[in-house]
Amino acid sequence: MSHPLATCSTDEDLCTWVLDQTGNSTLATAVDWIVGKPSTLLGLIVIGVVVRWLLHRIIDRIIKRAEAGVLPDRLSRAITGGRMGAALNLREDPTYTRRVQRAATLGSLLKSIVTGVVFTVVALMFISELGYDIAPLIASAGILGVALGFGSQTLVKDFLSGIFMIFEDQYGVGDVVDLGEASGTVEAVSLRVTRLRDVNGTVWYVRNGEILRVGNMSQNWARTVLDVTVGYTEDLVHVRRVLEEVAHDLWVDEDFQGLVIEEPEVWGVESLGVDGIVIRVTLKTAPMEQWGVARAMRERVKARFEAEGINLAVAQRVMWQESAPSAASAEPTEKA
């Protein structure tokens, strides 16, 4: 009887066992291909599916925690009970919605990466089990990856920037942002481009790789900065007291509960301009509410100033005009 290693490889246990039992190398090779190879390949597929399922379950757990936030439950409930919590931490708030969207996007991206990696590893093991050398495939894949990297640097840059923007939560759908060349409300965020609509209704598509800075005007909280200009003849102490009363009335108004999240402040004289004295008032508001609060505050200031007899400064222009000498006076006098 021939030695088992004459026809069977050292790792082919089934082939070696059949050859030892029967002494027939043809039968041993046939049994190995009919029973051994399919079972091994099927086992690789089952292992790949199980590994992918387990990794997806782990990603789902991470995404659930990311959606709930990082604060402990007791602290989160304590914050939610306050006025700021009502504006910032409720599930109906845009901040929570953006966090859920960001977590879902990252989860989808991680699942796609995991699926691609597991599928690639199983495919290479599948080919290797069939008896083919996978070294040329790995080398070709590396060369192809380098070529694609050099040929699509812009695309790779856009995707990497998009991943970090979503991961860092720089902005989300519904935020009002300034991206430099374009500003407006974000309508969609993908890994390659960001779509936003400006105040005129124009839709802008900005590649993520071209975004160098982001100004987010609706994240966590906002601030209304209102400059009121009064004349130089007005009593500033009286004006300041009136502005404090108007701002406080807005703060305690039931219609603005949850919109103005802190007691307004009158910072005082901001500048001495040509037209009058500028007094600055600030109100900390919930996200996306600063413009509506500013409009309401201006209306109330105008009505209260009229009732108190305080005059808002009006731009004035003084023109100096020199009269030209008449033609008669311009003529020289003739002496006799």
Side-chain angles (χ1 to χ4, degrees):
M1 185 174 60
S2 60
H3 195 274
L5 296 179
T7 56
C8 300
S9 302
T10 56
D11 59 343
E12 294 178 346
D13 296 334
L14 181 61
C15 176
T16 302
W17 183 82
V18 174
L19 185 60
D20 288 339
Q21 298 298 321
T22 63
N24 190 333
S25 60
T26 303
L27 178 62
T29 304
V31 170
D32 182 67
W33 273 97
I34 294 174
V35 179
K37 294 293 183 182
S39 61
T40 303
L41 298 178
L42 182 61
L44 289 176
I45 295 175
V46 172
I47 292 174
V49 172
V50 171
V51 170
R52 176 182 176 274
W53 180 79
L54 289 175
L55 292 177
H56 280 204
R57 288 293 301 272
I58 294 174
I59 292 173
D60 289 337
R61 286 178 175 270
I62 295 174
I63 295 307
K64 289 293 185 182
R65 291 185 178 182
E67 291 178 357
V70 298
L71 291 177
D73 293 339
R74 182 178 299 177
L75 181 59
S76 179
R77 287 195 300 267
I79 295 178
T80 306
R83 296 184 59 159
M84 183 179 295
L88 301 180
N89 293 295
L90 291 179
R91 289 179 175 267
E92 292 79 8
D93 188 73
T95 303
Y96 177 82
T97 303
R98 182 176 64 250
R99 187 168 63 241
V100 172
Q101 293 173 344
R102 177 169 57 94
T105 304
L106 288 176
S108 176
L109 175 63
L110 291 176
K111 287 182 178 180
S112 300
I113 294 175
V114 166
T115 301
V117 171
V118 171
F119 174 78
T120 302
V121 172
V122 170
L124 291 176
M125 296 177 66
F126 203 100
I127 296 172
S128 177
E129 189 64 31
L130 292 176
Y132 296 99
D133 187 11
I134 62 174
L137 292 177
I138 297 176
S140 301
I143 296 173
L144 181 61
V146 172
L148 290 177
F150 278 107
S152 57
Q153 295 183 32
T154 303
L155 184 62
V156 173
K157 180 181 178 182
D158 293 340
F159 273 93
L160 290 178
S161 299
I163 291 173
F164 281 106
M165 285 179 182
I166 295 174
F167 180 76
E168 296 170 356
D169 193 22
Q170 296 181 11
Y171 54 82
V173 175
D175 287 352
V176 178
V177 297
D178 182 358
L179 302 182
E181 295 295 330
S183 60
T185 304
V186 178
E187 292 188 341
V189 180
S190 66
L191 294 179
R192 195 179 73 85
V193 296
T194 296
R195 188 180 78 230
L196 64 156
R197 188 181 299 271
D198 64 14
V199 69
N200 298 319
T202 304
V203 177
W204 295 86
Y205 294 87
V206 184
R207 286 175 31 224
N208 294 331
E210 298 297 322
I211 299 175
L212 301 179
R213 63 171 179 83
V214 177
N216 195 326
M217 292 172 276
S218 53
Q219 197 171 52
N220 297 332
W221 56 272
R223 173 174 283 143
T224 294
V225 180
L226 189 64
D227 290 335
V228 181
T229 307
V230 297
Y232 277 97
T233 59
E234 300 297 334
D235 183 1
L236 294 183
V237 176
H238 178 57
V239 171
R240 184 186 182 104
R241 185 174 64 252
V242 171
L243 289 175
E244 290 175 348
E245 293 175 357
V246 173
H248 180 77
D249 292 341
L250 185 70
W251 155 253
V252 298
D253 194 333
E254 292 292 336
D255 295 335
F256 291 89
Q257 292 292 323
L259 302 183
V260 182
I261 59 179
E262 283 188 5
E263 179 77 34
E265 298 178 350
V266 179
W267 286 359
V269 177
E270 181 67 20
S271 64
L272 302 175
V274 176
D275 301 322
I277 302 175
V278 178
I279 301 178
R280 175 160 293 183
V281 184
T282 62
L283 303 92
K284 192 172 183 179
T285 70
M288 306 290 293
E289 300 294 339
Q290 61 267 40
W291 301 289
V293 171
R295 286 189 288 268
M297 186 67 183
R298 291 189 189 99
E299 293 176 359
R300 296 187 177 212
V301 168
K302 174 66 166 54
R304 183 64 182 275
F305 275 18
E306 289 181 351
E308 296 287 338
I310 301 174
N311 295 321
L312 292 170
V314 181
Q316 299 179 356
R317 178 178 299 175
V318 179
M319 299 182 62
W320 296 85
Q321 182 177 1
E322 296 183 0
S323 57
S326 60
S329 61
E331 293 180 356
T333 348
E334 184 179 350
K335 294 183 180 180

